[in-house]
Amino acid sequence: MLIFERSKANRTNKAQQPRQTGSLADIPANFLRKQRPLLPEVSEMQTVRHYTRLSQKNFSIDTHFYPLGSCTMKYNPRGCNTLAMLPGFVQRHPTSPANMSQGFLACMHDLQDILKDVTGMKAVSLAPMAGAQGEFAGVAMIRAYHDARGDSARTEILVPDAAHGTNPATATMCNFKVREIPTNKEGDVDIEALKAAVGPHTAGIMLTNPSTLGVFERKIKDIAGIIHDAGGLLYYDGANLNAILGKVKPGDMGFDVIHMNLHKTFSTPHGGGGPGAGPVGVSARLEPFLPVPLVIQRDNEFQVLTEKSRPQTIGPMSAFLGNAGILMRAYIYARLLGREGMERVAEYATLNANYMMVKLRRAGFDLAFPNRRATHEFIVTLKKQARELDVNAMDFAKRLLDYGFHAPTTYFPLLVPECLLIEPTETEAMETLDGFIEAMARIKHEAETDADLVKGAPYTQPVRRLDDVKAAKELDLTWSAA
Amino acid sequence: MPFIPHTEEDVKQMLDAIGVNTIDDLFDEIPVNLRARGLEVVPTGLSEMEVGRIMHERAMQDQRHLCFAGAGAYEHHIPAAVWEITTRGEFYSAYTPYQAEASQGTLQLLYEYQTMMASLTGMDVSNASLYDGASALAEAVLMAVRANRRAKSKRILMPRTVHPQYRKVVETIVKGQGISLELLDYDRKGGHINPDSLPSEPGDFVALVIPQPNFFGVLEEVDTLTDWAHQHNALVIAVVNPTALAVLTPPGQWGEIGADIACGDGQPLGIPLASGGPYFGFMCCRQEYVRQMPGRIIGRTTDLDGKSGFALTLQAREQHIRRSKATSNICTNQGLLVTAATIFMALVGPDGLERVASMSHANTRLLAEKLTALEGVQQVFDRPCFHETAFRFDYPVDEIMSLTTARGVLPGVTLADEYPELENCLLMCATETKTEQDIASFTELLQQVIARLQTTPRPVEPNMA
């Protein structure tokens, strides 16, 4: 039932309204609305009950294991939320001058320093509001750098075929042509193909390391050499930073610019699709182009720098200082973890992934890269099951829901057929991993003995499989009274 | 170890299963020279109690009494239930609803949200959010370029009455694509776009952006502007405040046929000021442009048993399917804020939102009445405003700012940085959260500040104008 179907005309919720109506007599009638908007007329309790019940139709980290590859669904500490929502922080107006903002700016300044350390970069901007905006900022800086040198022939961005969809989409938004670089059978970038692709038209390359295939790009130093020798720059997609947090710094691998997904690596909530935060870090040569605002400390005071003092900036990315509240949560998380805690993130995320990989292989599953070490994630391919039993990766994913596990990432990366990309994260206990492995083994057995059972899943959710074709063909995007 | 559940025994068992001796062995594919020098700046970890101490101290530092600043971020009452429900783990810690069967809660909520926003803006359809108002406008500009097949240029008419920071963000995001923003000046007396000032031979434009109310709080002649744009084959992009939409004509009804795209910032709908984010951007449009829309869209459909359910739809527009040919690179959006806004709109209802709007407007008028009674304070523009307005002071506003903020009162936002012609002007608003007493004590504070500035001799500067 929709909230609108609980609505009744003239039911009001007086506790949540101003007690009076203000006069609009000074506004000429032609500016005024003639018909009320369609908002529900429900009581406070009806609202609370409706949305509480809706929430119970969701999987979430707080209720379920979520081994969603490339998404780093780890525990979101409650303390980060509570402390970020202290009245002094949530009441602060974004235009407040520095003399009313020292507490907030101190946190932002500290966070910039922490992220510089973690990435091994010279400078950091907190401005981008999500990973894709961080990517945009990064590629826009690469463009600005070449433009500032008068090097306008660099029209192409290289992207491995295993990359996230946001990479090529971002390069297009920055008006670059995208050239895909193939991956070899061990999951590394095909170096010969890369050499053949680079040239005076190369603006840069966008790489994720560890890659979306769940393996570490071993030839990264060679790749950096090839790109730099050709005059291009290296962009690091930080989606998989959790795998190397505190262990390897992207700056040491030769990257010139990196974005981080704080909603992954720094445990800020995914919120059913956002918000994120996508700070960018850069090497010295890209520093002038960083998006504004930036927070600095001068004469014992924290201050905000805008484009006025940063003439070469690519500009601001949001109306104010990005997703400030998410940055606060990430900062609090970083302080809770500290130096030792951060190094353990990579260690235990990697331990969990390798444990699951080995156990699943023993349970009879095929790995996409059986000769490689897992990083924080790895890929199982169900090609064999799809061919022999007509049970595919989507069927496994849906059946897992019945066993109380969120599905791993399916059908990504695109170049591994029938794949499940599995990322357990460091916050899951061994018992949980064992439970998941057990469920996978049972589903495999079901697929072998009663394929239709798996193909009809899920059975235990609020709905069964939905008709996506109908959703797109017979568009129903808003409710209206019948 | 913070947030890591493993015991020593677990680790041993897991390493044995893998067949290695130490966790470090698992990093053996990473070249040794890359394995780090370790973190140098990150401080030692603290307990929640210790971090709590630091954060409480810092939050106290920023505590203030009263806020009369708006400029794109408005202080409204937020019912307690909004964030109580929004921070339930099932919303807070859920992922993007790609697995529809396990995400019906979020998906249904988003469908309800789309319905509410489409109705508020008077448009056919809504997406499930963008990052914020500024980036939503940038996406609207890119969308207009895709959608307007009649325009041959990539020129956008951008009034100076659009939030200056929004204009800068649009510039950041669209400049790489050969799109040019042509500024349209405003009427100095009215603070609005004077329809008579529109170019008589405009040439070929993709779209005209129309803010309502505009950055100064002034109401634009939206009907005339919309019709003008359509007569010249340009699309209309409305930038609107959702609170204002409770009482002002929605973009879908501007002029003869209405605006084509409506966008803005959803912050006034239950989102705290919180230093500027996270907020959320909304975007609505005509049905015919839905396939050009960026971001996620939720549709209602049926399941195998014919039961009604919700799913992400039209995903072929998006980066994870279409890659370099996607309508936008956006992936993560602002789902949690949309959750809050949906619960907020349900709690206040049409009556409540209308009251929030009208009381905010009435309070701002009361503020104007009180302030203009002070010596040397005038309203800058003479046209009708909605819930925000600009004042000119016969005194240096920098000093007014520092004297009032020292008392914990944020009086407004200075305008001269972005509008040199508006020297010593402050943009102010008094939302429904302000009482008559708040407005009276603020007026008194300003009176004291003015008295002090009147008695302090200022250096006489030559007037070069």
Side-chain angles (χ1 to χ4, degrees):
Chain A
M1 198 176 197
L2 296 170
I3 190 80
F4 305 103
E5 292 162 325
R6 300 182 193 280
S7 175
K8 194 178 267 184
N10 303 318
R11 177 152 47 204
T12 54
N13 187 8
K14 290 291 182 199
Q16 304 303 348
Q17 305 186 346
R19 279 193 290 123
Q20 282 129 18
T21 302
S23 165
L24 299 169
D26 60 314
I27 300 180
N30 64 311
F31 290 115
L32 294 176
R33 184 166 191 131
K34 310 286 182 295
Q35 225 181 1
R36 275 191 164 182
L38 175 73
L39 297 181
E41 296 174 87
V42 284
S43 72
E44 179 158 336
M45 191 191 73
Q46 286 175 310
T47 308
V48 167
R49 194 173 283 166
H50 178 79
Y51 289 107
T52 300
R53 284 194 182 161
L54 280 192
S55 77
Q56 291 169 331
K57 293 184 176 182
N58 273 357
F59 272 43
S60 67
I61 303 173
D62 284 5
T63 53
H64 294 84
F65 177 38
Y66 238 94
L68 203 55
S70 202
C71 301
T72 313
M73 296 296 283
K74 55 181 171 177
Y75 173 59
N76 306 146
R78 283 275 150 185
C80 299
N81 183 56
T82 304
L83 295 174
M85 291 189 79
L86 289 173
F89 296 134
V90 292
Q91 287 175 5
R92 183 181 166 273
H93 192 277
T95 65
S96 300
N99 67 345
M100 293 179 103
S101 312
Q102 290 299 296
F104 167 70
L105 293 178
C107 297
M108 295 300 102
H109 189 263
D110 287 357
L111 179 59
Q112 286 176 180
D113 283 347
I114 287 170
L115 298 181
K116 273 190 254 177
D117 192 16
V118 164
T119 57
M121 290 295 184
K122 169 83 187 331
V124 161
S125 165
L126 303 173
M129 288 179 284
Q133 234 202 6
E135 285 182 31
F136 178 89
V139 177
M141 283 190 272
I142 290 175
R143 173 170 281 287
Y145 168 80
H146 292 309
D147 284 351
R149 292 157 47 94
D151 198 352
S152 58
R154 298 192 179 273
T155 53
E156 211 171 81
I157 288 276
L158 307 174
V159 177
D161 54 5
H164 294 110
T166 49
N167 290 178
T170 298
T172 303
M173 273 185 92
C174 292
N175 218 18
F176 283 113
K177 272 185 280 194
V178 178
R179 185 190 285 212
E180 285 207 344
I181 304 296
T183 303
N184 68 26
K185 65 178 189 314
E186 288 301 324
D188 291 312
V189 167
D190 183 333
I191 296 282
E192 290 313 311
L194 179 69
K195 280 184 185 158
V198 295
H201 50 275
T202 304
I205 188 167
M206 299 179 82
L207 274 181
T208 311
N209 195 18
S211 73
T212 60
L213 301 172
V215 295
F216 191 86
E217 179 56 66
R218 293 169 288 196
K219 295 266 172 64
I220 182 60
K221 282 299 227 184
D222 298 342
I223 295 172
I226 293 165
I227 299 292
H228 282 150
D229 288 348
L233 299 180
L234 278 89
Y235 179 92
Y236 183 92
D237 178 329
N240 290 345
L241 188 62
N242 213 52
I244 56 166
L245 192 64
K247 281 275 168 197
V248 183
K249 300 186 180 190
D252 294 350
M253 295 187 226
F255 284 95
D256 300 283
V257 50
I258 164 176
H259 89 263
M260 291 149 267
N261 297 82
L262 299 187
H263 48 296
K264 298 181 182 177
T265 318
F266 284 75
S267 256
T268 67
H270 278 77
V280 280
V282 291
S283 58
R285 56 180 160 182
L286 288 180
E287 190 178 359
F289 308 105
L290 274 176
V292 287
L294 299 169
V295 181
I296 56 151
Q297 189 172 20
R298 187 181 283 161
D299 306 329
N300 264 331
E301 193 194 53
F302 296 104
Q303 297 172 2
V304 175
L305 295 186
T306 66
E307 63 277 7
K308 291 203 172 58
S309 44
R310 307 278 301 180
Q312 286 187 286
T313 176
I314 58 162
M317 318 286 300
S318 72
F320 303 108
L321 200 159
N323 279 337
I326 297 305
L327 299 169
M328 288 296 278
R329 284 164 176 82
Y331 172 64
I332 295 160
Y333 176 75
R335 295 301 305 267
L336 286 167
L337 244 53
R339 186 182 303 184
E340 347 50 86
M342 274 191 205
E343 288 171 9
R344 284 191 201 116
V345 165
E347 290 175 359
Y348 286 79
T350 304
L351 175 67
N352 276 359
N354 278 282
Y355 176 73
M356 284 182 88
M357 182 172 83
V358 166
K359 294 272 254 190
L360 283 171
R361 176 157 59 177
R362 277 184 208 148
F365 286 96
D366 293 330
L367 303 175
F369 301 99
N371 302 324
R372 298 293 304 265
R373 200 65 94 186
T375 56
H376 66 313
E377 63 188 0
F378 62 95
I379 300 175
V380 164
T381 170
L382 299 170
K383 198 167 74 178
K384 195 171 73 190
Q385 284 80 0
R387 193 180 57 229
E388 294 171 6
L389 309 168
D390 192 30
V391 177
N392 62 23
M394 187 57 74
D395 299 327
F396 266 77
K398 299 299 184 193
R399 186 62 179 148
L400 274 167
L401 303 178
D402 286 333
Y403 280 93
F405 295 103
H406 193 279
T409 300
T410 48
Y411 299 101
F412 178 83
L414 307 171
L415 56 128
V416 181
E418 300 299 336
C419 67
L420 297 178
L421 178 61
I422 301 173
E423 177 183 5
T425 83
E426 74 280 6
T427 61
E428 296 296 338
M430 186 176 72
E431 304 88 290
T432 311
L433 310 184
D434 287 339
F436 179 85
I437 292 157
E438 167 78 25
M440 284 289 285
R442 285 170 67 171
I443 297 170
K444 184 166 167 287
H445 180 71
E446 287 171 356
E448 287 156 0
T449 53
D450 184 1
D452 285 343
L453 174 72
V454 182
K455 289 165 69 155
Y459 303 96
T460 58
Q461 300 304 307
V463 290
R464 296 188 59 203
R465 276 191 225 191
L466 292 158
D467 189 342
D468 289 329
V469 175
K470 181 180 171 189
K473 263 187 157 166
E474 302 167 28
L475 280 182
D476 174 359
L477 310 180
T478 59
W479 179 82
S480 55
Chain B
M1 288 184 280
F3 317 119
I4 294 176
H6 302 61
T7 65
E8 267 180 52
E9 182 52 36
D10 291 342
V11 175
K12 194 175 163 304
Q13 230 179 302
M14 294 170 83
L15 290 174
D16 284 349
I18 299 166
V20 295
N21 295 321
T22 66
I23 292 182
D24 233 27
D25 292 344
L26 300 173
F27 291 87
D28 57 4
E29 286 192 3
I30 301 179
V32 180
N33 59 352
L34 289 180
R35 274 185 265 164
R37 27 190 182 114
L39 299 173
E40 289 143 7
V41 176
V42 179
T44 303
L46 300 175
S47 68
E48 187 177 294
M49 181 181 76
E50 292 167 309
V51 178
R53 186 71 171 263
I54 296 170
M55 298 310 284
H56 273 98
E57 280 166 13
R58 289 184 176 177
M60 284 300 287
Q61 268 184 287
D62 294 354
Q63 210 82 295
R64 47 89 184 152
H65 301 307
L66 282 175
C67 172
F68 291 92
Y74 302 91
E75 185 172 45
H76 291 295
H77 168 67
I78 301 172
V82 171
W83 285 90
E84 289 269 342
I85 307 287
T86 302
T87 54
R88 280 181 66 94
E90 300 94 325
F91 283 134
Y92 187 79
S93 73
Y95 188 67
T96 305
Y98 289 127
Q99 291 291 338
E101 299 88 347
S103 315
Q104 285 297 299
T106 290
L107 287 164
Q108 182 179 328
L109 180 141
L110 292 171
Y111 177 85
E112 293 177 359
Y113 161 82
Q114 289 175 183
T115 304
M116 294 180 193
M117 290 314 293
S119 175
L120 258 187
T121 56
M123 307 297 292
D124 299 324
V125 291
S126 164
N127 74 3
S129 79
L130 298 165
Y131 305 128
D132 77 339
S135 61
L137 178 57
E139 289 281 8
V141 164
L142 295 173
M143 177 177 162
V145 171
R146 291 191 297 271
N148 190 342
R149 299 220 168 82
R150 284 195 287 182
K152 282 160 219 81
S153 80
K154 286 190 175 183
R155 295 159 70 212
I156 304 282
L157 257 183
M158 180 70 86
R160 286 184 73 215
T161 57
V162 171
H163 196 305
Q165 195 71 9
Y166 283 29
R167 286 189 264 127
K168 285 183 212 163
V169 172
V170 174
E171 180 80 28
T172 305
I173 293 174
V174 310
K175 70 183 162 199
Q177 303 195 34
I179 295 167
S180 66
L181 306 176
E182 305 203 3
L183 286 182
L184 190 59
D185 209 352
Y186 65 93
D187 183 275
R188 292 291 183 275
K189 199 156 155 289
H192 69 309
I193 312 159
N194 187 341
D196 296 338
S197 74
L198 291 166
S200 52
E201 305 235 342
D204 199 34
F205 279 104
V206 170
L208 166 67
V209 178
I210 308 178
Q212 182 76 329
N214 71 23
F215 180 64
F216 305 128
V218 173
L219 297 177
E220 300 283 7
E221 293 289 347
V222 291
D223 296 328
T224 316
L225 296 172
T226 299
D227 291 342
W228 180 88
H230 286 148
Q231 278 153 20
H232 292 91
N233 289 337
L235 299 186
V236 169
I237 300 172
V239 186
V240 286
N241 174 324
T243 311
L245 290 177
V247 297
L248 299 182
T249 308
Q253 291 168 18
W254 292 357
E256 291 291 321
I257 59 164
D260 300 283
I261 305 169
C263 63
D265 202 298
Q267 179 274 331
L269 302 172
I271 316 301
L273 293 173
S275 294
Y279 297 168
F280 72 92
F282 61 85
M283 182 185 276
C284 302
C285 72
R286 283 177 195 287
Q287 186 79 39
E288 62 189 283
Y289 300 131
V290 67
R291 285 183 168 74
Q292 298 301 338
M293 193 136 71
R296 298 179 185 137
I297 299 174
I298 282 74
R300 183 154 65 164
T301 180
T302 47
D303 75 357
L304 281 176
D305 300 334
K307 188 176 166 192
S308 172
F310 304 88
L312 291 164
T313 194
L314 299 179
Q315 294 191 68
R317 300 163 299 116
E318 294 188 71
Q319 48 76 27
H320 62 285
I321 309 282
R322 190 62 70 83
R323 300 176 74 85
S324 65
K325 298 195 171 53
T327 54
S328 167
N329 73 342
I330 192 167
C331 179
T332 294
N333 60 15
Q334 307 282 115
L336 195 69
L337 294 311
V338 165
T339 306
T342 307
I343 299 171
F344 174 89
M345 286 189 276
L347 281 170
V348 300
D351 197 41
L353 197 62
E354 205 176 298
R355 282 181 181 227
V356 169
S358 68
M359 280 308 296
S360 298
H361 181 64
N363 279 344
T364 301
R365 279 188 74 200
L366 178 66
L367 179 71
E369 196 183 298
K370 298 281 183 196
L371 295 194
T372 51
L374 300 176
E375 203 187 325
V377 185
Q378 308 94 36
Q379 257 185 288
V380 181
F381 303 115
D382 64 2
R383 298 258 315 169
C385 289
F386 177 79
H387 105 347
E388 186 159 21
T389 190
F391 296 92
R392 179 176 280 118
F393 292 78
D394 294 350
Y395 319 96
V397 285
D398 290 347
E399 295 193 34
I400 294 175
M401 281 292 277
S402 63
L403 290 169
T404 49
T405 54
R407 301 278 291 274
V409 175
L410 184 60
V413 177
T414 55
L415 290 174
D417 280 353
E418 304 297 340
Y419 300 92
E421 67 277 13
L422 298 178
E423 212 191 339
N424 291 330
C425 292
L426 282 178
L427 186 64
M428 299 185 186
C429 73
T431 64
E432 89 288 359
T433 57
K434 303 298 171 289
T435 63
E436 271 187 57
Q437 182 54 47
D438 290 336
I439 292 169
S441 63
F442 177 48
T443 310
E444 203 181 304
L445 174 63
L446 275 180
Q447 191 167 19
Q448 289 165 13
V449 165
I450 286 170
R452 187 162 154 196
L453 293 174
Q454 282 171 331
T455 54
T456 317
R458 273 190 286 148
V460 179
E461 287 168 37
N463 186 350
M464 306 295 283

